[in-house]
Amino acid sequence: MALPDFKKTAQDKTAVPEWAKYLKEGEFISRSVTYKCRAYLDLFDEYVYPCTETGDIKYYVFDPVKHGADPDKKYSVVMFLHGASNSLMGKDCVMCCGAEQYASPKYQEEMGGAYIIVPCANEKRLENGDIEGTWGDTRLPYHIPVKAIFDKVADKNRDNIGKKFVLGASSGGYFTWRLLEEYPDYFDGAVPIASGYVPDEESLLKIGESKSRILVMHGKHDEMADFDRCIAPFLGVFERMGNCELFLPEWVYNGDGGVASVFYGFEMGQHCMINWVQANLVFDDGRVADERLPGGVTGWIRKIAEIK
């Protein structure tokens, strides 16, 4: 899969997206997020999990107790799975995958506190620009070391571990679905975002019988994972699942209220639903993206975390 090198390529903030023709009067294009990036990266510690099958897996962990949370309470564990090429960005992967903002004092309070895990796929950029070794690389049994990493963090902090969540966008969304297929009763909550892959009907219905609560998030103008191909055919099955909620907005926005555009050789702003997740589905003026999710993603996590 050919993707731009985000370390070397600058964003073109003058390009006009193809979907701009569908904007209504009063709607405008926004080319920058409004939350502060790289503010909480130092709160994440780096580790390496040895693995023969996939190569050693680097991963980052935010520990709420280490950073002042009550050591006598239990906290959710949320794993964030990055999109293709993000692991090539070093620790900035924590920012790009959405995890960084969830280590902020505000989001931690809204969730009721949470451990955060960010594993990194062993990606490699080939000479033609393709990315090898993404979470979607079916040659690699990534599910084995990734679950082992989750287990290791949970075991190390067993006295403080509550509900378990996994959240991933793009190829991370693909891998979120794959983890649900492999371990249907392991997670209490899962959020597949902008995924180009959705399991077949039989697999979805099996996931629907599990304990996991699922929140599917996908924009209707997604440039890389076409909504009509990736989501529309499954809407009936999602409705039949007893544990599935949907956030399928017409537009993915930035906090300033503008429709999100990200152009690095091609447009991907509406695919970058993870930026909207980092803003917690709340506009800068306090408006919520969806009245069914009044607390955004942090509120959704807390609601599940508090279920007895």
Side-chain angles (χ1 to χ4, degrees):
M1 180 180 184
L3 287 172
D5 186 337
F6 298 110
K7 285 187 173 182
K8 299 179 180 179
T9 307
Q11 180 181 355
D12 183 349
K13 295 188 176 183
T14 64
V16 179
E18 174 67 22
W19 44 253
K21 61 188 177 185
Y22 299 115
L23 296 178
K24 298 178 182 178
E25 184 177 354
E27 293 179 322
F28 63 96
I29 296 172
S30 173
R31 295 180 170 87
S32 299
V33 299
T34 58
Y35 49 83
K36 187 177 180 180
C37 298
R38 300 185 179 90
Y40 308 106
L41 290 184
D42 289 344
L43 301 180
F44 289 81
D45 297 314
E46 181 179 316
Y47 301 89
V48 175
Y49 183 83
C51 184
T52 302
E53 293 81 4
T54 65
D56 296 351
I57 301 290
K58 181 170 61 178
Y59 65 102
Y60 298 94
V61 176
F62 169 82
D63 181 339
V65 176
K66 178 181 177 179
H67 295 286
D70 189 337
D72 296 321
K73 291 186 176 181
K74 291 187 179 296
Y75 304 99
S76 298
V77 187
V78 186
M79 176 175 277
F80 282 77
L81 299 169
H82 62 77
S85 84
N86 285 171
S87 72
L88 302 176
M89 302 179 73
K91 198 169 187 178
D92 274 359
C93 177
V94 174
M95 171 189 68
C96 294
C97 77
E100 182 194 3
Q101 299 302 313
Y102 284 73
S104 70
K106 182 176 186 294
Y107 284 18
Q108 283 287 308
E109 181 179 1
E110 292 174 356
M111 289 186 291
Y115 289 86
I116 302 173
I117 308 172
V118 181
C120 298
N122 288 322
E123 296 179 320
K124 178 182 178 181
R125 183 180 297 278
L126 305 179
E127 290 185 2
N128 64 0
D130 286 355
I131 306 298
E132 184 179 80
T134 71
W135 294 129
D137 192 331
T138 56
R139 299 171 302 166
L140 299 171
Y142 275 132
H143 62 284
I144 297 173
V146 167
K147 181 178 179 293
I149 288 169
F150 206 117
D151 287 337
K152 185 173 183 177
V153 173
D155 184 62
K156 178 182 177 181
N157 304 282
R158 65 177 68 89
D159 293 338
N160 299 110
I161 297 301
K163 298 293 179 66
K164 300 175 180 179
F165 297 82
V166 60
L167 180 158
S170 195
S171 68
Y174 161 88
F175 195 42
T176 297
W177 280 121
R178 291 292 296 119
L179 288 173
L180 289 172
E181 290 181 282
E182 293 287 344
Y183 312 109
D185 276 310
Y186 184 80
F187 298 101
D188 297 285
V191 189
I193 303 166
S195 174
Y197 167 82
V198 175
D200 61 26
E201 179 176 346
E202 181 180 358
S203 297
L204 284 175
L205 292 177
K206 285 182 179 179
I207 293 170
E209 295 172 355
S210 71
K211 72 174 184 179
S212 298
R213 296 294 309 180
I214 315 297
L215 176 59
V216 177
M217 305 180 70
H218 205 110
K220 292 183 177 177
H221 292 270
D222 191 312
E223 305 94 346
M224 299 178 71
D226 182 73
F227 183 89
D228 288 339
R229 175 179 61 84
C230 300
I231 295 296
F234 299 97
L235 290 175
V237 186
F238 290 147
E239 291 178 1
R240 290 161 57 194
M241 297 169 66
N243 59 350
C244 187
E245 300 173 69
L246 303 175
F247 177 69
L248 309 175
E250 184 70 24
W251 296 109
V252 173
Y253 292 94
N254 284 326
D256 59 7
V259 179
S261 170
V262 178
F263 192 94
Y264 285 88
F266 56 89
E267 180 60 49
M268 64 182 91
Q270 293 301 293
H271 182 62
C272 290
M273 174 74 79
I274 194 63
N275 290 356
W276 199 203
V277 170
Q278 292 191 79
N280 202 28
L281 308 184
V282 179
F283 293 99
D284 294 345
D285 62 9
R287 290 178 296 124
V288 297
D290 192 323
E291 295 296 336
R292 298 170 301 173
L293 296 165
V297 178
T298 58
W300 185 83
I301 290 173
R302 183 163 192 158
K303 177 180 68 176
I304 296 171
E306 292 178 346
I307 296 175
K308 301 298 183 181

